[in-house]
């Protein structure tokens, strides 16, 4: 079996197992903490089949750092909480007898397919035969580190803000949130551009530019910024916040 086919099969097995758990729990939200670890599944599986080298170990460590942190953060944040309102709406729309099957395609298989496409730079890295790090690896790691900092710091600031009962109903407009309305999404996008830079000296590495571009598009237009903006506009003071703070790219 080829490394890429093995990674695709591993993705299919993992999303199917998570879906089965969601059916018993009646909670599709458990897919969210599993999103980032799916990428670790891809590069670890493909690298194991292809053979480990310095370059793919290096990228696996970067992906693992991001995936484990984000997965744990989302798990802790959602622990004991009801199913996300988006999935509740679909459940009411399709009915409990149909949604458990529909969710398999609409949520789990779709996320598995997206993870496979977006992980294209990681698949290239897994096939690398280089037993050393290049200037692109180091440059990409710097960009990744900046993105990781933005995402992790923004999540920490928001968690601390929400933990204070006195902030109920208020907006977080300090720290990184004073520079961007969605600094966590900016960091997520940036770290993916860093992972892409790491494979620029690999055959076909540059051609995988669609992967970070797609991730950025999803964060901006589909599941991230645009979705939250529609929800947040109703909050008092948010329009003023919008006028003063950019949505994505942080102001200096």
């Amino acid at each position: 079996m080829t490394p890429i086919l093995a990674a695709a099969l591993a993705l299919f097995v993992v999303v199917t197992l998570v879906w089965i758990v969601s059916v018993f729990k009646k909670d599709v939200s458990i897919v969210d903490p599993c999103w980032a670890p799916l990428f670790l599944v891809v590069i670890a599986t493909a690298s194991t089949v292809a053979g480990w080298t310095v370059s793919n170990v290096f990228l696996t460590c970067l992906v693992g750092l991001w995936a484990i942190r984000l997965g744990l953060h989302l798990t802790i944040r959602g622990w004991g909480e009801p199913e996300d309102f988006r999935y509740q709406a679909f459940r009411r729309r399709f009915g409990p007898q149909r949604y458990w099957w529909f969710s398999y395609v609409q949520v789990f298989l779709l996320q598995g397919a997206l993870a496979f496409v977006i992980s294209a730079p990681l698949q290239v890295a897994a096939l690398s035969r280089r037993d050393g790090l290049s200037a692109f690896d180091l440059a990409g790691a710097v960009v990744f580190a900046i993105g990781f900092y933005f995402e992790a710091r923004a999540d920490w600031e928001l968690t601390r803000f929400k933990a204070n009962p006195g902030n109920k109903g208020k907006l977080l407009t300090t720290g990184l949130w004073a520079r961007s309305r969605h600094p966590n999404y900016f960091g997520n996008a940036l770290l993916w551009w860093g992972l892409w830079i790491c494979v620029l000296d690999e055959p076909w590495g540059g051609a995988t530019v669609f992967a970070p571009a797609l991730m950025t598009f999803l964060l901006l237009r589909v599941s991230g910024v645009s979705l939250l903006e529609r929800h947040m506009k109703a909050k008092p003071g948010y329009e003023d916040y919008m006028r003063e703070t950019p949505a994505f790219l942080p102001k200096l």
Side-chain angles (χ1 to χ4, degrees):
M1 184 179 295
T2 67
I4 305 307
L5 182 58
L9 180 59
L11 271 181
F12 175 75
V13 171
V14 170
V15 297
T16 299
L17 290 175
V18 176
W19 168 71
I20 292 172
V21 174
S22 80
V23 171
F24 283 99
K25 288 180 62 66
K26 295 182 173 59
D27 186 358
V28 176
S29 298
I30 65 171
V31 72
D32 294 337
C34 296
W35 167 248
L38 290 179
F39 296 96
L40 182 57
V41 169
V42 170
I43 190 168
T45 302
S47 296
T48 299
V49 175
W52 290 99
T53 62
V54 170
S55 56
N56 59 30
V57 166
F58 179 69
L59 221 64
T60 301
C61 289
L62 294 183
V63 174
L65 178 66
W66 167 69
I68 293 171
R69 188 214 69 86
L70 184 55
L72 285 175
H73 168 72
L74 294 177
T75 298
I76 294 169
R77 190 183 71 179
W79 195 265
E81 296 293 324
E83 185 179 47
D84 187 279
F85 71 92
R86 297 168 296 171
Y87 304 128
Q88 288 185 20
F90 281 118
R91 193 178 294 279
R92 289 192 298 270
R93 177 181 174 186
F94 292 97
Q97 301 302 320
R98 295 171 56 201
Y99 187 60
W100 68 291
W101 276 112
F102 184 78
S103 68
Y104 183 48
V105 177
Q106 179 218 28
V107 179
F108 294 89
L109 290 183
L110 176 60
Q111 289 213 10
L114 284 173
F116 184 74
V117 173
I118 294 171
S119 66
L122 310 183
Q123 297 168 31
V124 169
L127 299 177
S128 174
R129 298 297 89 204
R130 287 189 294 108
D131 267 323
L133 301 180
S134 69
F136 285 107
D137 287 313
L138 300 179
V142 170
V143 175
F144 173 91
I146 296 171
F148 183 85
Y149 168 80
F150 264 85
E151 183 184 64
R153 177 63 186 260
D155 284 343
W156 176 75
E157 289 178 350
L158 185 59
T159 299
R160 189 178 63 169
F161 180 81
K162 288 184 173 181
N164 184 349
N167 292 327
K168 187 176 179 60
K170 296 181 181 180
L171 295 173
L172 173 57
T173 58
T174 58
L176 294 182
W177 298 84
R179 300 182 178 277
S180 167
R181 299 200 301 275
H182 303 278
N184 51 341
Y185 292 143
F186 166 75
N188 193 313
L190 187 62
L191 66 83
W192 272 97
W193 286 102
L195 293 172
W196 173 70
I197 292 172
C198 288
V199 300
L200 282 181
D201 56 350
E202 297 288 348
W204 300 101
T208 63
V209 66
F210 63 85
L214 176 57
M215 178 65 93
T216 304
F217 174 78
L218 291 174
L219 290 168
L220 277 170
R221 301 298 182 189
V222 181
S223 62
V225 173
S226 61
L227 183 66
L228 274 181
E229 291 284 283
R230 290 195 297 270
H231 178 68
M232 294 293 293
K233 279 182 180 179
K235 287 204 167 188
Y238 198 76
E239 290 191 359
D240 292 334
Y241 182 45
M242 290 175 66
R243 283 191 290 268
E244 298 168 358
T245 311
F248 193 68
L249 293 175
K251 64 182 178 182
L252 298 177

